[in-house]
mmCIF file with all atom_site columns, all heavy atoms in Angstrom:
data_model
loop_
_atom_site.group_PDB
_atom_site.id
_atom_site.type_symbol
_atom_site.label_atom_id
_atom_site.label_alt_id
_atom_site.label_comp_id
_atom_site.label_asym_id
_atom_site.label_entity_id
_atom_site.label_seq_id
_atom_site.pdbx_PDB_ins_code
_atom_site.Cartn_x
_atom_site.Cartn_y
_atom_site.Cartn_z
_atom_site.occupancy
_atom_site.B_iso_or_equiv
_atom_site.pdbx_formal_charge
_atom_site.auth_seq_id
_atom_site.auth_comp_id
_atom_site.auth_asym_id
_atom_site.auth_atom_id
_atom_site.pdbx_PDB_model_num
ATOM 1   N N   . ILE A 1 9   ? 106.840 123.395 122.456 1.00 93.00 ? 12  ILE A N   1
ATOM 2   C CA  . ILE A 1 9   ? 105.912 122.325 122.205 1.00 93.00 ? 12  ILE A CA  1
ATOM 3   C C   . ILE A 1 9   ? 106.298 121.033 122.963 1.00 93.00 ? 12  ILE A C   1
ATOM 4   O O   . ILE A 1 9   ? 105.487 120.347 123.512 1.00 93.00 ? 12  ILE A O   1
ATOM 5   C CB  . ILE A 1 9   ? 105.721 122.070 120.655 1.00 93.00 ? 12  ILE A CB  1
ATOM 6   C CG1 . ILE A 1 9   ? 104.634 120.957 120.407 1.00 93.00 ? 12  ILE A CG1 1
ATOM 7   C CG2 . ILE A 1 9   ? 107.024 121.626 120.011 1.00 93.00 ? 12  ILE A CG2 1
ATOM 8   C CD1 . ILE A 1 9   ? 103.255 121.454 120.469 1.00 93.00 ? 12  ILE A CD1 1
ATOM 9   N N   . LEU A 1 10  ? 107.631 120.795 123.003 1.00 92.00 ? 13  LEU A N   1
ATOM 10  C CA  . LEU A 1 10  ? 108.109 119.591 123.692 1.00 92.00 ? 13  LEU A CA  1
ATOM 11  C C   . LEU A 1 10  ? 107.918 119.722 125.218 1.00 92.00 ? 13  LEU A C   1
ATOM 12  O O   . LEU A 1 10  ? 107.504 118.741 125.868 1.00 92.00 ? 13  LEU A O   1
ATOM 13  C CB  . LEU A 1 10  ? 109.552 119.328 123.371 1.00 92.00 ? 13  LEU A CB  1
ATOM 14  C CG  . LEU A 1 10  ? 110.100 117.914 123.527 1.00 92.00 ? 13  LEU A CG  1
ATOM 15  C CD1 . LEU A 1 10  ? 109.191 116.912 122.760 1.00 92.00 ? 13  LEU A CD1 1
ATOM 16  C CD2 . LEU A 1 10  ? 111.544 117.779 123.040 1.00 92.00 ? 13  LEU A CD2 1
ATOM 17  N N   . LEU A 1 13  ? 104.114 119.132 125.748 1.00 94.00 ? 16  LEU A N   1
ATOM 18  C CA  . LEU A 1 13  ? 103.716 117.697 125.644 1.00 94.00 ? 16  LEU A CA  1
ATOM 19  C C   . LEU A 1 13  ? 104.205 116.868 126.787 1.00 94.00 ? 16  LEU A C   1
ATOM 20  O O   . LEU A 1 13  ? 103.462 116.061 127.350 1.00 94.00 ? 16  LEU A O   1
ATOM 21  C CB  . LEU A 1 13  ? 104.301 117.118 124.287 1.00 94.00 ? 16  LEU A CB  1
ATOM 22  C CG  . LEU A 1 13  ? 103.656 117.702 123.004 1.00 94.00 ? 16  LEU A CG  1
ATOM 23  C CD1 . LEU A 1 13  ? 104.496 117.183 121.769 1.00 94.00 ? 16  LEU A CD1 1
ATOM 24  C CD2 . LEU A 1 13  ? 102.212 117.166 122.869 1.00 94.00 ? 16  LEU A CD2 1
ATOM 25  N N   . VAL A 1 115 ? 116.937 117.141 113.184 1.00 88.00 ? 118 VAL A N   1
ATOM 26  C CA  . VAL A 1 115 ? 115.543 117.118 113.756 1.00 88.00 ? 118 VAL A CA  1
ATOM 27  C C   . VAL A 1 115 ? 114.970 115.713 113.568 1.00 88.00 ? 118 VAL A C   1
ATOM 28  O O   . VAL A 1 115 ? 114.288 115.142 114.465 1.00 88.00 ? 118 VAL A O   1
ATOM 29  C CB  . VAL A 1 115 ? 114.608 118.157 113.063 1.00 88.00 ? 118 VAL A CB  1
ATOM 30  C CG1 . VAL A 1 115 ? 113.218 118.146 113.673 1.00 88.00 ? 118 VAL A CG1 1
ATOM 31  C CG2 . VAL A 1 115 ? 115.218 119.516 113.300 1.00 88.00 ? 118 VAL A CG2 1
ATOM 32  N N   . ALA A 1 119 ? 113.579 113.319 116.471 1.00 91.00 ? 122 ALA A N   1
ATOM 33  C CA  . ALA A 1 119 ? 112.167 112.832 116.494 1.00 91.00 ? 122 ALA A CA  1
ATOM 34  C C   . ALA A 1 119 ? 112.141 111.300 116.628 1.00 91.00 ? 122 ALA A C   1
ATOM 35  O O   . ALA A 1 119 ? 111.293 110.758 117.246 1.00 91.00 ? 122 ALA A O   1
ATOM 36  C CB  . ALA A 1 119 ? 111.442 113.305 115.243 1.00 91.00 ? 122 ALA A CB  1
ATOM 37  N N   . VAL A 1 122 ? 112.764 110.312 120.220 1.00 91.00 ? 125 VAL A N   1
ATOM 38  C CA  . VAL A 1 122 ? 111.552 110.547 121.017 1.00 91.00 ? 125 VAL A CA  1
ATOM 39  C C   . VAL A 1 122 ? 110.603 109.380 120.728 1.00 91.00 ? 125 VAL A C   1
ATOM 40  O O   . VAL A 1 122 ? 109.992 108.821 121.641 1.00 91.00 ? 125 VAL A O   1
ATOM 41  C CB  . VAL A 1 122 ? 110.864 111.901 120.612 1.00 91.00 ? 125 VAL A CB  1
ATOM 42  C CG1 . VAL A 1 122 ? 109.567 112.104 121.441 1.00 91.00 ? 125 VAL A CG1 1
ATOM 43  C CG2 . VAL A 1 122 ? 111.810 113.051 120.894 1.00 91.00 ? 125 VAL A CG2 1
ATOM 44  N N   . CYS B 2 28  ? 101.931 108.191 123.631 1.00 93.00 ? 51  CYS B N   1
ATOM 45  C CA  . CYS B 2 28  ? 102.131 108.004 122.199 1.00 93.00 ? 51  CYS B CA  1
ATOM 46  C C   . CYS B 2 28  ? 101.872 109.311 121.428 1.00 93.00 ? 51  CYS B C   1
ATOM 47  O O   . CYS B 2 28  ? 102.445 109.483 120.330 1.00 93.00 ? 51  CYS B O   1
ATOM 48  C CB  . CYS B 2 28  ? 101.013 107.002 121.751 1.00 93.00 ? 51  CYS B CB  1
ATOM 49  S SG  . CYS B 2 28  ? 101.465 105.299 122.148 1.00 93.00 ? 51  CYS B SG  1
ATOM 50  N N   . CYS B 2 29  ? 101.089 110.236 122.032 1.00 93.00 ? 52  CYS B N   1
ATOM 51  C CA  . CYS B 2 29  ? 100.878 111.523 121.363 1.00 93.00 ? 52  CYS B CA  1
ATOM 52  C C   . CYS B 2 29  ? 102.165 112.346 121.324 1.00 93.00 ? 52  CYS B C   1
ATOM 53  O O   . CYS B 2 29  ? 102.302 113.227 120.385 1.00 93.00 ? 52  CYS B O   1
ATOM 54  C CB  . CYS B 2 29  ? 99.781  112.309 122.151 1.00 93.00 ? 52  CYS B CB  1
ATOM 55  S SG  . CYS B 2 29  ? 98.181  111.621 121.900 1.00 93.00 ? 52  CYS B SG  1
ATOM 56  N N   . VAL B 2 30  ? 103.069 112.187 122.267 1.00 93.00 ? 53  VAL B N   1
ATOM 57  C CA  . VAL B 2 30  ? 104.271 113.042 122.329 1.00 93.00 ? 53  VAL B CA  1
ATOM 58  C C   . VAL B 2 30  ? 105.061 112.974 121.063 1.00 93.00 ? 53  VAL B C   1
ATOM 59  O O   . VAL B 2 30  ? 105.289 114.013 120.381 1.00 93.00 ? 53  VAL B O   1
ATOM 60  C CB  . VAL B 2 30  ? 105.112 112.740 123.577 1.00 93.00 ? 53  VAL B CB  1
ATOM 61  C CG1 . VAL B 2 30  ? 106.444 113.528 123.557 1.00 93.00 ? 53  VAL B CG1 1
ATOM 62  C CG2 . VAL B 2 30  ? 104.394 113.014 124.855 1.00 93.00 ? 53  VAL B CG2 1
ATOM 63  N N   . PRO B 2 31  ? 105.570 111.787 120.592 1.00 93.00 ? 54  PRO B N   1
ATOM 64  C CA  . PRO B 2 31  ? 106.333 111.810 119.378 1.00 93.00 ? 54  PRO B CA  1
ATOM 65  C C   . PRO B 2 31  ? 105.540 112.169 118.109 1.00 93.00 ? 54  PRO B C   1
ATOM 66  O O   . PRO B 2 31  ? 106.065 112.817 117.230 1.00 93.00 ? 54  PRO B O   1
ATOM 67  C CB  . PRO B 2 31  ? 106.850 110.335 119.256 1.00 93.00 ? 54  PRO B CB  1
ATOM 68  C CG  . PRO B 2 31  ? 106.009 109.546 120.141 1.00 93.00 ? 54  PRO B CG  1
ATOM 69  C CD  . PRO B 2 31  ? 105.518 110.462 121.196 1.00 93.00 ? 54  PRO B CD  1
ATOM 70  N N   . LEU B 2 32  ? 104.250 111.772 118.106 1.00 94.00 ? 55  LEU B N   1
ATOM 71  C CA  . LEU B 2 32  ? 103.419 112.057 116.907 1.00 94.00 ? 55  LEU B CA  1
ATOM 72  C C   . LEU B 2 32  ? 103.215 113.526 116.729 1.00 94.00 ? 55  LEU B C   1
ATOM 73  O O   . LEU B 2 32  ? 103.399 114.086 115.622 1.00 94.00 ? 55  LEU B O   1
ATOM 74  C CB  . LEU B 2 32  ? 102.080 111.305 117.004 1.00 94.00 ? 55  LEU B CB  1
ATOM 75  C CG  . LEU B 2 32  ? 102.188 109.782 117.018 1.00 94.00 ? 55  LEU B CG  1
ATOM 76  C CD1 . LEU B 2 32  ? 100.767 109.128 117.242 1.00 94.00 ? 55  LEU B CD1 1
ATOM 77  C CD2 . LEU B 2 32  ? 102.808 109.220 115.760 1.00 94.00 ? 55  LEU B CD2 1
ATOM 78  N N   . ILE B 2 33  ? 102.791 114.228 117.814 1.00 94.00 ? 56  ILE B N   1
ATOM 79  C CA  . ILE B 2 33  ? 102.552 115.651 117.723 1.00 94.00 ? 56  ILE B CA  1
ATOM 80  C C   . ILE B 2 33  ? 103.857 116.439 117.464 1.00 94.00 ? 56  ILE B C   1
ATOM 81  O O   . ILE B 2 33  ? 103.916 117.333 116.649 1.00 94.00 ? 56  ILE B O   1
ATOM 82  C CB  . ILE B 2 33  ? 101.834 116.215 118.992 1.00 94.00 ? 56  ILE B CB  1
ATOM 83  C CG1 . ILE B 2 33  ? 100.449 115.551 119.124 1.00 94.00 ? 56  ILE B CG1 1
ATOM 84  C CG2 . ILE B 2 33  ? 101.683 117.727 118.999 1.00 94.00 ? 56  ILE B CG2 1
ATOM 85  C CD1 . ILE B 2 33  ? 99.678  115.850 120.379 1.00 94.00 ? 56  ILE B CD1 1
ATOM 86  N N   . PHE B 2 34  ? 104.929 115.991 118.195 1.00 93.00 ? 57  PHE B N   1
ATOM 87  C CA  . PHE B 2 34  ? 106.215 116.666 118.057 1.00 93.00 ? 57  PHE B CA  1
ATOM 88  C C   . PHE B 2 34  ? 106.718 116.596 116.640 1.00 93.00 ? 57  PHE B C   1
ATOM 89  O O   . PHE B 2 34  ? 107.171 117.572 116.012 1.00 93.00 ? 57  PHE B O   1
ATOM 90  C CB  . PHE B 2 34  ? 107.245 116.096 119.051 1.00 93.00 ? 57  PHE B CB  1
ATOM 91  C CG  . PHE B 2 34  ? 108.610 116.698 118.919 1.00 93.00 ? 57  PHE B CG  1
ATOM 92  C CD1 . PHE B 2 34  ? 108.833 118.015 119.283 1.00 93.00 ? 57  PHE B CD1 1
ATOM 93  C CD2 . PHE B 2 34  ? 109.656 115.941 118.332 1.00 93.00 ? 57  PHE B CD2 1
ATOM 94  C CE1 . PHE B 2 34  ? 110.141 118.552 119.183 1.00 93.00 ? 57  PHE B CE1 1
ATOM 95  C CE2 . PHE B 2 34  ? 110.905 116.472 118.220 1.00 93.00 ? 57  PHE B CE2 1
ATOM 96  C CZ  . PHE B 2 34  ? 111.145 117.816 118.576 1.00 93.00 ? 57  PHE B CZ  1
ATOM 97  N N   . ALA B 2 35  ? 106.625 115.355 116.057 1.00 92.00 ? 58  ALA B N   1
ATOM 98  C CA  . ALA B 2 35  ? 107.120 115.173 114.668 1.00 92.00 ? 58  ALA B CA  1
ATOM 99  C C   . ALA B 2 35  ? 106.297 116.015 113.668 1.00 92.00 ? 58  ALA B C   1
ATOM 100 O O   . ALA B 2 35  ? 106.856 116.651 112.770 1.00 92.00 ? 58  ALA B O   1
ATOM 101 C CB  . ALA B 2 35  ? 107.032 113.711 114.275 1.00 92.00 ? 58  ALA B CB  1
ATOM 102 N N   . SER B 2 36  ? 104.961 116.029 113.881 1.00 93.00 ? 59  SER B N   1
ATOM 103 C CA  . SER B 2 36  ? 104.157 116.846 112.910 1.00 93.00 ? 59  SER B CA  1
ATOM 104 C C   . SER B 2 36  ? 104.405 118.327 113.112 1.00 93.00 ? 59  SER B C   1
ATOM 105 O O   . SER B 2 36  ? 104.392 119.084 112.109 1.00 93.00 ? 59  SER B O   1
ATOM 106 C CB  . SER B 2 36  ? 102.670 116.457 113.037 1.00 93.00 ? 59  SER B CB  1
ATOM 107 O OG  . SER B 2 36  ? 102.094 117.097 114.113 1.00 93.00 ? 59  SER B OG  1
ATOM 108 N N   . TYR B 2 37  ? 104.687 118.740 114.384 1.00 92.00 ? 60  TYR B N   1
ATOM 109 C CA  . TYR B 2 37  ? 104.975 120.188 114.632 1.00 92.00 ? 60  TYR B CA  1
ATOM 110 C C   . TYR B 2 37  ? 106.279 120.586 113.912 1.00 92.00 ? 60  TYR B C   1
ATOM 111 O O   . TYR B 2 37  ? 106.389 121.680 113.376 1.00 92.00 ? 60  TYR B O   1
ATOM 112 C CB  . TYR B 2 37  ? 105.023 120.350 116.126 1.00 92.00 ? 60  TYR B CB  1
ATOM 113 C CG  . TYR B 2 37  ? 105.407 121.805 116.531 1.00 92.00 ? 60  TYR B CG  1
ATOM 114 C CD1 . TYR B 2 37  ? 104.385 122.784 116.621 1.00 92.00 ? 60  TYR B CD1 1
ATOM 115 C CD2 . TYR B 2 37  ? 106.689 122.210 116.855 1.00 92.00 ? 60  TYR B CD2 1
ATOM 116 C CE1 . TYR B 2 37  ? 104.717 124.115 117.030 1.00 92.00 ? 60  TYR B CE1 1
ATOM 117 C CE2 . TYR B 2 37  ? 106.985 123.484 117.225 1.00 92.00 ? 60  TYR B CE2 1
ATOM 118 C CZ  . TYR B 2 37  ? 105.968 124.429 117.314 1.00 92.00 ? 60  TYR B CZ  1
ATOM 119 O OH  . TYR B 2 37  ? 106.283 125.716 117.674 1.00 92.00 ? 60  TYR B OH  1
ATOM 120 N N   . CYS B 2 38  ? 107.249 119.631 113.935 1.00 89.00 ? 61  CYS B N   1
ATOM 121 C CA  . CYS B 2 38  ? 108.547 119.946 113.342 1.00 89.00 ? 61  CYS B CA  1
ATOM 122 C C   . CYS B 2 38  ? 108.601 119.689 111.789 1.00 89.00 ? 61  CYS B C   1
ATOM 123 O O   . CYS B 2 38  ? 109.547 119.954 111.159 1.00 89.00 ? 61  CYS B O   1
ATOM 124 C CB  . CYS B 2 38  ? 109.621 119.079 113.936 1.00 89.00 ? 61  CYS B CB  1
ATOM 125 S SG  . CYS B 2 38  ? 109.944 119.462 115.702 1.00 89.00 ? 61  CYS B SG  1
ATOM 126 N N   . GLY B 2 39  ? 107.438 119.181 111.313 1.00 89.00 ? 62  GLY B N   1
ATOM 127 C CA  . GLY B 2 39  ? 107.326 118.935 109.909 1.00 89.00 ? 62  GLY B CA  1
ATOM 128 C C   . GLY B 2 39  ? 108.174 117.704 109.443 1.00 89.00 ? 62  GLY B C   1
ATOM 129 O O   . GLY B 2 39  ? 108.580 117.570 108.356 1.00 89.00 ? 62  GLY B O   1
ATOM 130 N N   . VAL B 2 40  ? 108.354 116.750 110.414 1.00 88.00 ? 63  VAL B N   1
ATOM 131 C CA  . VAL B 2 40  ? 109.111 115.519 110.167 1.00 88.00 ? 63  VAL B CA  1
ATOM 132 C C   . VAL B 2 40  ? 108.198 114.409 110.044 1.00 88.00 ? 63  VAL B C   1
ATOM 133 O O   . VAL B 2 40  ? 107.253 114.264 110.851 1.00 88.00 ? 63  VAL B O   1
ATOM 134 C CB  . VAL B 2 40  ? 110.162 115.285 111.303 1.00 88.00 ? 63  VAL B CB  1
ATOM 135 C CG1 . VAL B 2 40  ? 110.815 113.962 111.103 1.00 88.00 ? 63  VAL B CG1 1
ATOM 136 C CG2 . VAL B 2 40  ? 111.178 116.383 111.431 1.00 88.00 ? 63  VAL B CG2 1
ATOM 137 N N   . LYS B 2 41  ? 108.425 113.509 109.043 1.00 88.00 ? 64  LYS B N   1
ATOM 138 C CA  . LYS B 2 41  ? 107.548 112.338 108.891 1.00 88.00 ? 64  LYS B CA  1
ATOM 139 C C   . LYS B 2 41  ? 108.320 111.190 109.542 1.00 88.00 ? 64  LYS B C   1
ATOM 140 O O   . LYS B 2 41  ? 109.454 110.877 109.193 1.00 88.00 ? 64  LYS B O   1
ATOM 141 C CB  . LYS B 2 41  ? 107.256 112.019 107.427 1.00 88.00 ? 64  LYS B CB  1
ATOM 142 C CG  . LYS B 2 41  ? 106.040 111.165 107.260 1.00 88.00 ? 64  LYS B CG  1
ATOM 143 C CD  . LYS B 2 41  ? 105.731 110.913 105.792 1.00 88.00 ? 64  LYS B CD  1
ATOM 144 C CE  . LYS B 2 41  ? 104.611 109.910 105.715 1.00 88.00 ? 64  LYS B CE  1
ATOM 145 N NZ  . LYS B 2 41  ? 104.621 109.243 104.421 1.00 88.00 ? 64  LYS B NZ  1
ATOM 146 N N   . LEU B 2 42  ? 107.667 110.509 110.551 1.00 86.00 ? 65  LEU B N   1
ATOM 147 C CA  . LEU B 2 42  ? 108.324 109.394 111.237 1.00 86.00 ? 65  LEU B CA  1
ATOM 148 C C   . LEU B 2 42  ? 108.356 108.159 110.264 1.00 86.00 ? 65  LEU B C   1
ATOM 149 O O   . LEU B 2 42  ? 107.300 107.758 109.816 1.00 86.00 ? 65  LEU B O   1
ATOM 150 C CB  . LEU B 2 42  ? 107.631 108.982 112.556 1.00 86.00 ? 65  LEU B CB  1
ATOM 151 C CG  . LEU B 2 42  ? 107.692 110.056 113.701 1.00 86.00 ? 65  LEU B CG  1
ATOM 152 C CD1 . LEU B 2 42  ? 106.782 109.625 114.833 1.00 86.00 ? 65  LEU B CD1 1
ATOM 153 C CD2 . LEU B 2 42  ? 109.088 110.191 114.221 1.00 86.00 ? 65  LEU B CD2 1
#
Side-chain angles (χ1 to χ4, degrees):
Chain A
I12 183 79
L13 204 52
L16 289 170
V118 181
V125 180
Chain B
C51 286
C52 288
V53 175
L55 297 175
I56 296 175
F57 177 71
S59 80
Y60 180 83
C61 293
V63 173
K64 200 177 173 201
L65 292 172

